[in-house]
Amino acid sequence: MRQGYCIPNVNAKTSGKFFGKTKVIFSLGGNQQLPKYQFGSGDEVVVSIKHPLNDHKGWKGEVIQLGRFQLAIVSQDVPWDLRTGVWRLDCGANKTAYERTKTALNQMVGAKCKAKGLRKLVLM
């Protein structure tokens, strides 16, 4: 938690749709600032009640907005009892970086790649 990869005890509320997914806003309530965090736009977030590895109610989303007082994600897996209790946010991998890396590797090792030596090197 001290490194900023986890934000505990946040409240949640939905805020419409964003490209067909539910937008969820997390905050501490009132004018309380969130603790310093390492989350970034495009990061995957694991949302749970107590701990992401032990929580059967855990679900995932993707960060779309960052601020001092709130953090917003989008998800298709938002539970119906979202406003009940408090949540814990754990930072995961950055989906944008992952997708770009995957695309670049597919271009380098794909059948249309003209640099056969590079392709061989990557696949070693």
Side-chain angles (χ1 to χ4, degrees):
M1 287 187 236
R2 288 185 183 174
Q3 289 84 20
Y5 293 102
C6 173
I7 305 174
N9 304 319
V10 289
N11 300 309
K13 66 180 180 180
T14 58
S15 180
K17 296 282 186 179
F18 185 82
F19 290 100
K21 295 180 181 179
T22 303
K23 181 178 176 182
V24 182
I25 297 177
F26 293 94
S27 68
L28 292 173
N31 281 340
Q32 289 184 314
Q33 286 189 26
L34 293 171
K36 285 194 167 207
Y37 56 80
Q38 300 293 325
F39 294 62
S41 185
D43 284 350
E44 179 181 78
V45 174
V46 179
V47 184
S48 59
I49 293 176
K50 293 187 180 185
H51 193 280
L53 299 178
N54 303 328
D55 193 347
H56 68 281
K57 291 183 103 174
W59 47 286
K60 293 181 181 180
E62 182 178 342
V63 175
I64 60 165
Q65 288 178 325
L66 304 159
R68 291 186 337 194
F69 299 97
Q70 62 185 26
L71 184 140
I73 70 168
V74 291
S75 179
Q76 292 179 336
D77 304 322
V78 178
W80 63 272
D81 59 348
L82 178 72
R83 294 183 87 114
T84 305
V86 293
W87 297 92
R88 170 185 163 140
L89 305 177
D90 286 277
C91 189
N94 186 293
K95 285 185 153 189
T96 303
Y98 170 79
E99 289 299 327
R100 287 179 181 164
T101 302
K102 184 173 134 182
T103 300
L105 283 172
N106 282 337
Q107 290 175 350
M108 287 176 44
V109 299
K112 295 180 182 179
C113 178
K114 295 183 177 169
K116 303 295 182 198
L118 179 61
R119 180 174 148 180
K120 186 176 179 180
L121 180 66
V122 170
L123 294 175
M124 288 179 113

